[in-house]
Amino acid sequence: MTKLFNAQAVDASVPMVEKVVAEALDDVERRLAADGACDLATTIARDVPFRVMLRLLGLESAIDVDIDTLARWSDASLELFWGRPRGEREVALAREAAEFYAWLTALVSKPAPEEATLLGALAAHRLPDGEPLGVTQKAAVVYFMIIAGQMTTTQMLSTMYRRALQEPGLWQRFAEAPATVEPWTEEVLRRDPPITTWRRVTGRPMTLSGVDLPAGAPLLLMLSSTGSDTEVFENPEQLCPHRANVRKHLSFGVGRHRCSGAELARMEADVVMRMTAERLPDLRLSDRSSTEMLALLSFRAPLQVLVERG
């Protein structure tokens, strides 16, 4: 997976991302002209990560469903596995997830995938014993990549849009000085990441903060709290884009568990925010925009960012 998201691949994809964002902004402008308002959370923030991820992984030509369907399946999976659905809601979500998984197994079972694609990489991969990956293993990887490659980036962009448009004068500053966008987005990642917690299991007996834990103990890691650690960040509640240690947060994890798409997400955030401000410097948050948040065990983001011009 790392080869598909290394620094060279991310740098080479910038023109493609800019083209995708420009097309998404065309749609936003049409909606604003027709309706007077547009929800950025369900348009550009949702569609750009999907389209970028599918193109970067070489999946675009292999996909026979639309973005609305992929988004519905992904939303259902997140709520099913990280929410607390009950009764008929849980059954409905399980049906969506099962439909998603059935589609994935058919996708990874297609013959002779192109080598320089995600499906090609999975077909060529061999386990330590020399055996190829099975259908279940391939489907699991693609399942994770589609959700992780789109949902978290969508949540990140929705949060950044809302925060930028809420702060007086900031959106105009982005439009006039695009170089200010990148350090600001890193601060939002530190302070308000889309993945707030993650589950882990201890691989061996250990002691954390004086608490003895056996092997196999379930843990809930509070990732978002690392960005607010007063021993690491001075005045952590304030967004200070030019902190010397701005990247010392764990919003992308660390070590072998670090997000393989971290640099892609950073680049997308910079391109999306910069190009939106340049194209629509008069954008403002609508008074009708909902404040409702996605509030799952590990994910938090605005469900709507309704904007208007003027």
Side-chain angles (χ1 to χ4, degrees), residues 103-120:
W103 175 80
L104 285 169
T105 57
L107 177 67
V108 301
S109 299
K110 292 182 178 180
E114 293 183 29
E115 187 174 336
T117 65
L118 173 62
L119 297 182

Side-chain angles (χ1 to χ4, degrees), residues 173-234:
R173 192 189 318 158
F174 286 169
E176 296 165 4
T180 61
V181 171
E182 185 176 0
W184 181 86
T185 58
E186 191 68 38
E187 268 288 83
V188 176
L189 279 167
R190 171 191 70 82
R191 181 65 178 167
D192 204 3
I195 300 180
T196 56
T197 69
W198 204 246
R199 290 175 289 194
R200 290 289 178 217
V201 177
T202 54
R204 56 180 171 80
M206 62 191 308
T207 301
L208 289 177
S209 300
V211 179
D212 294 328
L213 299 170
L219 303 177
L220 184 66
L221 309 183
M222 308 300 290
L223 297 181
S224 61
S225 69
T226 66
S228 301
D229 188 345
T230 55
E231 294 184 8
V232 180
F233 299 104
E234 185 178 356

Side-chain angles (χ1 to χ4, degrees), residues 268-288:
E268 284 189 73
D270 178 52
V271 171
V272 169
M273 300 298 292
R274 172 172 50 81
M275 290 184 64
T276 306
E278 287 175 343
R279 177 88 75 92
L280 300 166
D282 59 344
L283 213 58
R284 65 179 181 84
L285 195 63
S286 171
D287 294 336
R288 297 180 288 117

Side-chain angles (χ1 to χ4, degrees), residues 200 223 249-259:
R200 290 289 178 217
L223 297 181
H249 57 78
L250 295 183
S251 298
F252 289 117
V254 69
R256 70 171 63 187
H257 296 298
R258 186 176 185 272
C259 173

Side-chain angles (χ1 to χ4, degrees), residues 39-62:
D39 180 13
L40 299 182
T42 58
T43 54
I44 186 170
R46 185 199 71 169
D47 295 351
V48 166
F50 257 129
R51 294 177 62 191
V52 168
M53 182 263 305
L54 293 177
R55 291 186 185 186
L56 200 59
L57 297 179
L59 289 174
E60 191 171 39
S61 61

